[in-house]
Each structure stands twice: as C-alpha cells, then as structure tokens.
Amino acid sequence: MRDHEPAHDRRPGRRLSTRETAELLGVKPETVYAYVSRGLLSSRREPGGRASTFDAKDVEALARRNRREAAGSPGSGGDLSVRTRITLIEEDRYYFRGVDATELAARHSYEEVAEWLWTGRLTPGTAFTAPGTTVEVARRAVNALPGHTSPADRLRVAAIAAAAEDPLRFDLSEESVLGTGRILIPTLVAALPPVRHDHEDGGPLAHRLWGRLTGRRPDDASLRVLDTALALLADHDLAASTLAVRVAASARAHAYAAVSAGLGVLEGPLHGAASGLAHRMLLDVLDQGTAVPVIADELRAGRRVPGLGHPLYTGEDPRARVLFALLEQVPQAEPALLAARDVVATTARHAPLHANVDLALAVFTVSSGMPATAGETIFAVARTAGWIAHALEEYGERPLRMRPSGHYVGPRPPQPLP
C-alpha cells in the first residue's frame, strides 16, 4: 500500500460510502457523482438506505488508473514495463547481458557484440555475409527509389525486399531468426548506394558501410570510430523503435517485418534523425567560428539544442564519452570536436546539460565528410542487432501480450445516429 492511501477495509464484496470513495480517489464528493455520470463508476443504493454505495474493487481500480495518468506525461510510457535480459541502464552506465557495453564495444567488433546480444556467446572473428541473390534483390529495390529518399526509407525497402526473397521468413524458431539477423544486417549495408567507386564489399561491416557514407578514403582510426559507434548503438533498452519491434514480434510478425516496424519509428526527428540536427548545428558553429549565435538562434526559435541531455543519464552519455575519446585520435576531427565542446560550454551557462551520443555522432559525420543523414544510417544499421535480440526474446513470450486496453473518454453510448 502506498503511504498516501487510506487504509480502507478490503474484505471481498466490501462497498464504500460516497465519503470513503471520495477519500480514496482524492476528490470531492461532487466529483464522485461526475464519475458515475461518465460511466467510470457504478453506484447502488442499499435496501432501506438513501445514500449511494460503490464497489471497493471498482474504486481502487479507478484510483490506480488516476495515479498512472497523473504520474505519466505524454511520451513517458506510463507504467509499461517489459521483462528483458538484454540491456540494463543504471547509474549512468549501460550493460549488455550484464557486461559493461562500453567495454564490450572497445574490445569487440560490432558483429561480435551483436552475437553476444543474440546468444550470450562471444565468437571472435564473427563476420556477417549475405547471399548474392538477396543482396541483388535488395539493391534493385533501393535503386528504383527517388534520389531524395531518406536513409530509413532505403533501409526499410531493402528489408522488405530481403523478406520477399526469403521463403522461410515465417519460421520463428531461434536458429531461423538468428540466420535472418546475420543475413539482414549485411544486406541493409550492401543495398545502400556506394559513394566511393572503389568501395569494398568484403571485410568487417564497418569497412563496407564506410564507402556508402563518404567519398573519403578511410583510415584505421576513423574505421575504429565507426565500428565502435555501431557496437555502442546496438541496443539501448526499450527505446520507441524497440518497443515497436516488440509489439510486431508479439503479434508474431516475422523478423524482417519487426525490423521494418523499428525503422518506421526510427525516422522520427526525436529518435534516429536527432544526430542530423546536431550535424547541421556543428556546421553552423564551424561556419560562424563560435557557438554563441548558433545556440541563441536555436533558443530564440523555441527549439532544444540538439545533441545535449538524455533522460536516462544525469551526466554525460557513456556512448558519447567513448566516441569523443576515440575521435581525439582522428586528426581531422579536431575542428568539429572543438565546436562540440563550445556548444556544451555555451549551453552550460544556463542549463547543466551534457553531451549525448547524437553530438558525438555529429562530430564523426562532420569530420568524415559525410552528409547530415549519415548518423541516422549508422544508428539504423547498428540498432538492427538490438531489434533482432528483442524480437527473439518476444517470440518466447505469450503471443499478443503487448496489447494495452484503451481508456475511452468519448461520449457515453447510446448516442443518436448522426
């Protein structure tokens, strides 16, 4: 029982007076009768009595719902909770299956971290490859899109094309879904149009992805940043896109469709596209030579400064901390790093906000000559590993459990036919 709840008699069948009901709900007696008129509560008069009484279970259920609505804010997720063994975020750190995710990303490739998320086993030297037929189908589908198509749309079309090529996609056994993950991720990368003509289709996934993000030749330090970024971003508990994946998997959609659901949500400006906003801001800071007028313009327009703050971390995002340390070893990243530090310092005069992973990604994409959309592409490819892990976990749960009840607040029936 919560400290602020009155200790009512909870015997089975117990009925409450109007006064007791108002006390339990924390409202005036008049409001109790308003609940009755709206159909949220039902009342009854006892034989020989004049006052209304209310079923204690109904009143307590309404009290719980009112508390949830009062505590929750738009986008907070309310009391939604999903048991998972994949990612834990705690005390400004995060862990993949109990192991510090930043240490995993520092010591292992993206493919190795993905396997750890999926199976709980580390297999050194793991590399993902896709059949040529699957890649060809996905490439043809992506190449048919308009030139202005967003990265999320390209990846979603590639996922759909790969699904159409796979007649066994409806097999939701663990081994089959693992096979899907190992094929889908390299297919997504291979389906993206190359920027460099001498791009490599072999080697680690980060090498293959590099030539689809920038025309510059890669160096070892930059490739290490990209591979580490992919590993760091592989999962982050129940982000909005991951929740969408689990809802799809709960309905027993196949893994390609579940990933497509995640890609659809990822395209929102508050999720995967956030690094693009930080990218453009850094370009403005570099152009003007100082962050002050750029930050002032953001605030004057009523916008949040991109790349700062995270609801799950009180200090600096641990993913940003790792990437900033690696970027210090990339000589061409120094101007963008200084610009990012200027943004943090300028904003800190008024709000104690720390850098998040979007700002670190923006430093990387700006200094590597990549477009503003590159961060979204990196994010989507990386997070596909986590989506597969969550789909696998959800397939082991009761089907259709991700089905909350709607709280109807419209006119009570019967209403006249319009």
Side-chain angles (χ1 to χ4, degrees):
M1 187 186 304
R2 295 175 185 267
D3 293 341
H4 62 272
E5 291 181 11
H8 290 298
D9 184 351
R10 298 194 176 192
R11 291 173 295 173
R14 161 76 168 158
R15 297 195 67 79
L16 306 178
S17 67
T18 301
R19 180 184 61 78
E20 290 173 322
T21 299
E23 181 184 3
L24 183 59
L25 294 173
V27 298
K28 297 179 180 179
E30 294 86 349
T31 305
V32 173
Y33 292 111
Y35 285 149
V36 173
S37 67
R38 289 161 52 194
L40 299 176
L41 277 179
S42 59
S43 63
R44 186 176 80 196
R45 288 190 180 180
E46 301 298 334
R50 299 179 57 187
S52 297
T53 62
F54 304 84
D55 184 273
K57 287 186 178 179
D58 290 345
V59 174
E60 289 169 1
L62 180 59
R64 286 193 297 270
R65 186 166 67 189
N66 287 350
R67 283 196 298 271
R68 288 198 300 266
E69 292 178 356
S73 59
S76 69
D79 66 344
L80 180 62
S81 178
V82 176
R83 291 168 60 88
T84 178
R85 298 175 181 271
I86 300 170
T87 300
L88 170 68
I89 300 175
E90 188 174 71
E91 296 180 354
D92 280 357
R93 299 173 73 182
Y94 74 119
Y95 306 84
F96 290 160
R97 294 191 179 274
V99 179
D100 189 299
T102 60
E103 293 181 11
L104 271 175
R107 292 169 172 78
H108 296 279
S109 71
Y110 167 67
E111 291 100 318
E112 291 168 353
V113 171
E115 288 285 346
W116 173 254
L117 283 174
W118 298 342
T119 67
R121 297 187 299 272
L122 270 173
T123 308
T126 296
F128 296 156
T129 57
T133 53
T134 303
V135 170
E136 183 58 31
V137 167
R139 278 179 176 167
R140 285 204 306 266
V142 170
N143 290 341
L145 296 171
H148 61 267
T149 303
S150 71
D153 280 339
R154 293 183 191 277
L155 294 172
R156 193 158 55 242
V157 166
I160 294 169
E165 175 63 18
D166 184 1
L168 303 180
R169 62 188 179 276
F170 294 104
D171 180 356
L172 303 185
S173 65
E174 180 178 354
E175 198 54 42
S176 179
V177 175
L178 287 173
T180 296
R182 293 166 185 146
I183 288 174
L184 178 57
I185 291 174
T187 298
L188 295 178
V189 172
L192 293 171
V195 179
R196 294 182 61 222
H197 297 297
D198 58 344
H199 68 282
E200 297 181 13
D201 276 331
L205 195 85
H207 293 218
R208 286 173 267 165
L209 182 58
W210 176 274
R212 289 166 167 81
L213 298 174
T214 179
R216 293 185 183 178
R217 289 193 171 276
D219 56 83
D220 290 342
S222 296
L223 287 173
R224 187 184 176 202
V225 174
L226 179 55
D227 187 55
T228 304
L230 290 168
L232 290 169
L233 292 166
D235 193 54
H236 206 236
D237 196 29
L238 283 184
S241 57
T242 304
L243 180 58
V245 168
R246 291 198 76 126
V247 171
S250 177
R252 296 304 183 256
H254 55 71
Y256 299 95
V259 168
S260 295
L263 287 167
V265 176
L266 191 71
E267 200 168 12
L270 302 181
H271 197 5
S275 64
L277 302 176
H279 178 109
R280 295 181 182 93
M281 176 187 67
L282 285 185
L283 289 179
D284 288 342
V285 173
L286 289 169
D287 183 56
Q288 301 209 28
T290 173
V292 174
V294 178
I295 299 302
D297 286 344
E298 293 287 337
L299 298 177
R300 187 179 297 117
R303 296 187 294 263
R304 289 179 52 194
V305 179
L308 299 181
H310 195 289
L312 299 180
Y313 300 114
T314 56
E316 187 176 44
D317 185 332
R319 300 168 297 178
R321 184 174 62 251
V322 172
L323 291 180
F324 282 141
L326 290 176
L327 285 163
E328 288 177 357
Q329 302 169 30
V330 181
Q332 65 267 27
E334 184 178 5
L337 268 174
L338 293 174
R341 289 171 181 153
D342 193 9
V343 168
V344 174
T346 300
T347 309
R349 300 177 192 174
H350 308 287
L353 294 175
H354 299 273
N356 63 33
V357 72
D358 295 317
L359 189 62
L361 265 184
V363 170
F364 174 63
T365 55
V366 166
S367 59
S368 301
M370 297 176 182
T373 56
E376 183 179 355
T377 304
I378 295 167
F379 197 113
V381 170
R383 191 56 55 88
T384 302
W387 292 337
I388 294 291
H390 281 273
L392 268 169
E393 195 171 64
E394 191 60 38
Y395 290 144
E397 299 287 350
R398 175 175 55 83
L400 292 175
R401 71 187 184 116
M402 309 286 282
R403 206 294 189 188
S405 298
H407 173 37
Y408 179 73
V409 295
R412 295 298 305 173
Q415 294 290 318
L417 191 67

